[in-house]
Amino acid sequence: MPKLGAEPIRRAALVKATIEAVGAAGSLDVTVAQIARRAGMSSALAHHYFGSKEQIFLAAMRSILTLYGAEVRGALAMAQTPRDRVQAVVMGSFAPSSFRNEAISAWLNFYVLAQSSAAARRLLAIYQARLRSNLLVGLRPIVGLRAEAVADGLGALIDGVYIRAALAGGVLDRRQACDLVLAHLELELEGVQ
Amino acid sequence: MPKLGAEPIRRAALVKATIEAVGAAGSLDVTVAQIARRAGMSSALAHHYFGSKEQIFLAAMRSILTLYGAEVRGALAMAQTPRDRVQAVVMGSFAPSSFRNEAISAWLNFYVLAQSSAAARRLLAIYQARLRSNLLVGLRPIVGLRAEAVADGLGALIDGVYIRAALAGGVLDRRQACDLVLAHLELELEGVQ
DNA sequence: GGTTGTTGATTGACGAGTCAATAAACATGT
DNA sequence: ACATGTTTATTGACTCGTCAATCAACAACC
């Protein structure tokens, strides 16, 4: 059974299994054994590759964040006008790969983790700073000094829609969620440009 | 030492200690013993009065929800116009007694708990329905059919501001948070009435 | 033969919930 | 007043389960 070069495969499997397990349980109260079993290995191996439970969680979080970042970057690539850019950031935030039950549940739980883990807090801060900065680049040419306020509103609204989606448990449509935020954006940009 | 009529006092002390402990830890991973000690009693007594850890948490949640409800009702009492009503609901949501670190942290954690506990989910649904209904009463006379959409946006925004406040850890000013939501409301009501 | 992959078994700690025992307050009959 | 029984308050000690982390050992590959 032991194949060489297993490490990256095992790590990826564990990250995937962690996201699934957290999504299924709806909380971080999942044991390393559960995650490992879901990934088709023993808990000892999970510890072997990640060292500790927290490291496993953080790796999962990094994975989600990376995916999200790629999605936003992809959407931004096609944007022409500043307005396009802002819309791209919002729509990227609601891309199917990010706006799905498991990922949403993970987000919610990692928000909680960030309250007690400095490493998680750092990671989350990076995401928030990136979102804010992405929004500001598009917003400043349109609304000038109001950009910061608008970006904060958009950020909070996106977060809020995400939590509500976590509770709705899949009932809340992706398109609907995205449209709600975009509608707010339209309102903010009304009259300008 | 045993005084009669201790039950309500003990229960209240436990609820208070629970909110404090959860706020301090930033998570629900607090032991019954920790809570009990903070409330000045043994863990056995906590179990005696509440039966289980989950019951203690739910009681704490109910307490927060009650306080919040009272705050909103108080604000509504002074409202004259429909517009006043909507603003009152928003401002009630940011009353100092609700918008404080401990309570915000509790909210965040109870959101997570709601993902796995039916009882918690029920409680949270009650709050959301009440908020929505309170908003709708004020909104319908002003924006008619758009009321539902506006209420959903406001609800999500309030939730989002709350989470962000949890992470900011007290840096985010209460007034600022409230103003952000009120500004969004103004935008939605612009042009009407 | 050393590196890499892998596991079952074990350890050590912790925590929820139970229980038996103690003590104060109250009630009742005398 | 006082003995007696009942309810309420309270805790220390204990049980039982769980879980993260470690370890010793084994398997495959180079």
Side-chain angles (χ1 to χ4, degrees), chain A residues 22-29 104-106 108-109 111-116 121 124 127-128 131 146 149 151-157 159-161 163-167 180 184 187-188 190, chain B residues 22-29 104-106 108-109 111-116 121 124 127-128 131 146 149 151-157 159-161 163-167 180 184 187-188 190:
Chain A
V22 170
S27 92
L28 291 183
D29 283 334
I104 294 171
S105 179
L108 187 48
N109 279 286
Y111 262 104
V112 171
L113 185 62
Q115 298 227 294
S116 58
R121 196 158 44 243
L124 222 35
Y127 145 75
Q128 287 199 333
L131 171 61
R146 263 185 62 236
D152 285 342
L154 279 173
L157 189 54
D159 282 2
V161 170
I163 325 185
R164 299 215 150 193
L167 281 179
L180 191 154
H184 173 234
L187 225 49
E188 292 277 12
E190 215 159 68
Chain B
V22 170
S27 92
L28 292 184
D29 282 334
I104 294 172
S105 180
L108 186 49
N109 280 286
Y111 261 106
V112 171
L113 185 62
Q115 299 228 293
S116 58
R121 196 157 46 244
L124 220 36
Y127 145 75
Q128 288 199 333
L131 171 62
R146 264 184 64 237
D152 284 342
L154 278 173
L157 190 54
D159 282 1
V161 169
I163 324 184
R164 299 217 149 191
L167 280 179
L180 191 153
H184 173 234
L187 225 50
E188 291 279 10
E190 213 160 69

Side-chain angles (χ1 to χ4, degrees), chain A residues 1 7 13-15 25 28 39 57 83 94 109 111 135 139 143 150 153 157 170 193:
Chain A
M1 291 182 200
E7 175 153 4
L14 280 168
V15 163
L28 291 183
F57 280 140
R83 198 189 185 103
F94 289 96
N109 279 286
Y111 262 104
L135 288 173
L139 284 171
V143 297
V150 175
L157 189 54
Q193 209 193 58

Side-chain angles (χ1 to χ4, degrees), chain A:
Chain A
M1 291 182 200
K3 283 178 289 190
L4 279 227
E7 175 153 4
I9 290 121
R10 292 302 202 185
R11 289 184 100 100
L14 280 168
V15 163
K16 182 163 174 283
T18 302
I19 296 171
E20 287 172 8
V22 170
S27 92
L28 291 183
D29 283 334
V30 276
T31 71
V32 175
Q34 280 169 349
I35 294 171
R37 180 144 34 94
R38 197 183 276 265
M41 72 194 80
S42 73
S43 69
L45 196 54
H47 275 106
H48 173 65
Y49 282 126
F50 281 100
S52 76
K53 187 178 176 176
E54 174 156 28
Q55 289 305 313
I56 301 180
F57 280 140
L58 290 178
M61 200 170 168
R62 257 179 242 118
S63 159
I64 288 179
L65 236 49
T66 303
L67 192 58
Y68 166 80
E71 208 74 62
V72 170
R73 227 172 305 121
L76 274 175
M78 295 181 288
Q80 300 289 330
T81 68
R83 198 189 185 103
D84 281 350
R85 290 187 65 88
V86 183
Q87 283 178 341
V89 174
V90 172
M91 288 168 73
S93 297
F94 289 96
S97 69
S98 292
F99 194 78
R100 59 188 223 275
N101 276 355
E102 284 171 359
I104 294 171
S105 179
W107 269 110
L108 187 48
N109 279 286
F110 285 134
Y111 262 104
V112 171
L113 185 62
Q115 298 227 294
S116 58
S117 155
R121 196 158 44 243
R122 229 172 296 133
L123 225 49
L124 222 35
I126 291 174
Y127 145 75
Q128 287 199 333
R130 196 155 58 188
L131 171 61
R132 192 183 154 86
S133 145
N134 277 332
L135 288 173
L136 284 178
V137 170
L139 284 171
R140 265 199 268 261
I142 317 181
V143 297
L145 291 177
R146 263 185 62 236
E148 313 242 333
V150 175
D152 285 342
L154 279 173
L157 189 54
I158 291 173
D159 282 2
V161 170
Y162 258 79
I163 325 185
R164 299 215 150 193
L167 281 179
V171 178
L172 192 56
D173 191 58
R174 198 185 117 257
R175 178 63 59 85
Q176 259 176 279
C178 188
D179 285 352
L180 191 154
V181 180
L182 286 177
H184 173 234
L185 176 61
E186 287 307 310
L187 225 49
E188 292 277 12
L189 301 189
E190 215 159 68
V192 209
Q193 209 193 58

